[in-house]
Amino acid sequence: MGAVKIWNANEVAEEARENCSSEIHSSHITVDSSLSLPQMIPLIIELCKDLFKKWSNLDESRFSIETISGGITNLLLKVSVQEENGNNTCMTVRLYGPNTEYVINRERELQAIGYLSAAGFGAKLLGVFGNGMVQSFINARTLTPSDMKMPKLAAEIAKQLHKFHQVEIPGSKEPQLWIDMFKFFDKASTLKFDDIEKQKKYKEISFVEVHNEVVELKELTDLLNSPVVFAHNDLLSGNLMLNDDEGKLYFIDFEYGSYSYRGFDIGNHFNEYAGYDCDYSLYPTKDEQYHFFRHYLAPEKPNEVSEKDLEVLYVEANTFMLASHLYWALWALIQAKMSPIDFDYLGYYFLRYEEYTKQKEKCLWLARSYLSASRVE
């Protein structure tokens, strides 16, 4: 791609070693995520022994490793360790996908995890290594897209998101959405594919048009003055877990987390109702959105939220929903070039951009009508 890597996993691990608390361990070991599980197991055991010195003399038979999930950016493994005292400890090892440093700021992620964990979100960070991290194991199931639409769960997600948005992360609070978007654009617009068919498809994209769309949308959303919060930015069903017995909901995977706009975090979440098949007919109705907004704005008294506050958030979410399509469309182009994972990222770009085009007129009219009415008031 001709670009210099902005984030380096080994440098992040070294910085964590220097700055982390005594509870967080660090190792320079890297594990090739493209290996088969049988090939990977001895490397994972070596990693665990290097990270946690108390296990350095344990026999390999005391380690049990299984795959939890393999997403389109990460590989998750469950490691169970039978300690000498008879205790059984479970952890999650997350291996970053190859080249994900092109689209993810690992330093930002690691900084945020500690504060989010202290606030009760996600798994506890136990260790970092060359191309991944180790966290406590969450005993829960991953939600499905249809789960998110259920009124009771939608209300709980909204309540948790309200709490999430209250977390303070030290450092700059400058919103990163458009900074990241233009960074993605610069990379995505200068690619060259070795595959002839991919290159032909890529050449169909008008980057002048895409750039104009991004600029126009940024200018409009700036007028909405959506509150700036520390946002998850990737609240899809795969990043939500539920312990059905306890009724406890977990937000996980904060790798795209940053200071951003509340409207983007919510609008992006609503887009994820479409699921992995991108069935946007499942996008929440206005009534479903208002149900979510009531529990987000006033978790303790959802029925007391004013119509005005509901309207404001409705406009924000459904305008920033467009930004979500552009963001993940550009992200997909970079992944199409950089990721070795067998996923049709190029096709995903066109799915997201086409949905943006389909929804644009209606959503921009909504925002402009709201802004015009606000000026009259």
Side-chain angles (χ1 to χ4, degrees):
M1 179 158 79
V4 176
K5 291 186 182 182
I6 296 174
W7 306 299
N8 181 286
N10 276 307
E11 290 176 5
V12 172
E14 178 61 30
E15 186 167 329
R17 184 190 293 278
E18 293 172 0
N19 299 327
C20 68
S21 73
S22 58
E23 293 181 353
I24 302 174
H25 304 270
S26 181
S27 169
H28 287 290
I29 289 176
T30 59
V31 179
D32 184 352
S33 59
S34 68
L35 296 173
S36 66
L37 185 60
Q39 291 173 311
M40 205 181 288
I41 284 175
L43 300 175
I44 296 294
I45 293 173
E46 179 190 357
L47 170 67
C48 291
K49 287 185 175 187
D50 188 53
L51 279 170
F52 308 102
K53 304 305 181 189
K54 63 179 180 177
W55 297 336
S56 59
N57 294 320
L58 279 183
D59 189 81
E60 292 192 3
S61 62
R62 289 179 176 266
F63 293 83
S64 173
I65 299 164
E66 60 185 285
T67 302
I68 300 174
S69 68
I72 57 175
T73 53
N74 294 309
L75 176 65
L76 293 179
L77 303 170
K78 178 184 177 182
V79 179
S80 303
V81 184
Q82 188 179 9
E83 299 183 282
E84 289 179 330
N85 61 7
N87 289 344
N88 199 54
T89 299
C90 294
M91 307 174 298
T92 302
V93 173
R94 177 150 64 104
L95 296 175
Y96 304 145
N99 301 319
T100 50
E101 64 269 24
Y102 279 95
V103 290
I104 296 169
N105 186 331
R106 296 297 180 190
E107 292 177 77
R108 190 164 74 193
E109 177 190 12
L110 281 169
Q111 182 199 25
I113 281 177
Y115 293 93
L116 293 168
S117 178
F121 291 100
K124 183 180 179 183
L125 180 64
L126 303 175
V128 293
F129 56 98
N131 63 327
M133 64 175 67
V134 180
Q135 295 173 283
S136 59
F137 180 74
I138 295 176
N139 185 26
R141 67 175 178 90
T142 304
L143 293 191
T144 64
S146 59
D147 285 331
M148 299 194 302
K149 214 174 176 71
M150 295 169 62
K152 185 178 178 182
L153 268 176
E156 186 58 30
I157 293 167
K159 290 176 186 177
Q160 288 291 326
L161 190 59
H162 170 90
K163 183 183 171 189
F164 190 94
H165 285 169
Q166 309 304 309
V167 179
E168 294 276 334
I169 308 294
S172 171
K173 291 179 173 51
E174 181 181 6
Q176 297 299 301
L177 172 62
W178 301 108
I179 293 171
D180 288 346
M181 186 104 70
F182 283 114
K183 198 182 290 183
F184 284 3
F185 178 86
D186 289 343
K187 292 186 179 75
S189 59
T190 55
L191 300 173
K192 185 171 177 60
F193 293 89
D194 297 328
D195 184 287
I196 295 172
E197 286 303 311
K198 281 186 178 180
Q199 182 64 17
K200 183 180 176 183
K201 196 79 176 165
Y202 175 75
K203 283 295 185 181
E204 294 176 11
I205 301 167
S206 169
F207 284 103
V208 172
E209 176 189 300
V210 174
H211 188 270
N212 289 340
E213 298 292 340
V214 173
V215 170
E216 180 186 15
L217 188 58
K218 180 186 183 303
E219 289 174 352
L220 181 62
T221 56
D222 283 349
L223 298 175
L224 295 177
N225 295 316
S226 183
V228 174
V229 296
F230 189 84
H232 187 287
N233 296 323
D234 192 24
L235 211 54
L236 74 166
S237 62
N239 287 335
L240 293 163
M241 299 185 76
L242 178 70
N243 182 308
D244 289 295
D245 293 334
E246 299 174 6
K248 183 168 173 55
L249 179 75
Y250 296 89
F251 286 10
I252 64 168
D253 286 4
F254 311 123
E255 56 193 1
Y256 291 97
S258 70
Y259 273 96
S260 190
Y261 306 95
R262 73 170 182 182
F264 179 81
D265 218 11
I266 296 171
N268 183 73
H269 174 63
F270 287 164
N271 274 337
E272 295 298 343
Y273 278 44
Y276 305 108
D277 296 328
C278 295
D279 180 0
Y280 290 105
S281 68
L282 298 174
Y283 189 81
T285 64
K286 188 172 184 178
D287 284 345
E288 288 171 332
Q289 291 186 45
Y290 271 32
H291 171 71
F292 186 98
F293 297 153
R294 287 188 180 96
H295 289 276
Y296 172 84
L297 291 168
E300 302 307 319
K301 298 179 179 179
N303 294 322
E304 295 183 15
V305 177
S306 70
E307 281 297 316
K308 177 66 175 174
D309 287 344
L310 290 171
E311 182 194 6
V312 168
L313 196 46
Y314 182 72
V315 172
E316 280 181 37
N318 289 279
T319 310
F320 276 103
M321 169 268 277
L322 295 175
S324 163
H325 284 307
L326 291 177
Y327 180 95
W328 293 112
L330 291 168
W331 169 91
L333 288 179
I334 299 167
Q335 294 287 57
K337 173 64 178 178
M338 304 308 304
S339 177
I341 294 169
D342 184 19
F343 182 82
D344 184 13
Y345 290 106
L346 202 53
Y348 189 71
Y349 163 83
F350 286 101
L351 274 172
R352 297 303 296 255
Y353 194 73
E354 284 166 11
E355 186 63 20
Y356 164 81
T357 304
K358 182 179 175 183
Q359 299 298 334
K360 175 188 170 185
E361 187 176 343
K362 177 181 70 176
C363 294
L364 294 190
W365 178 86
L366 176 70
R368 288 171 179 147
S369 299
Y370 166 77
L371 289 167
S372 295
S374 298
R375 281 194 287 270
V376 171
E377 291 174 7

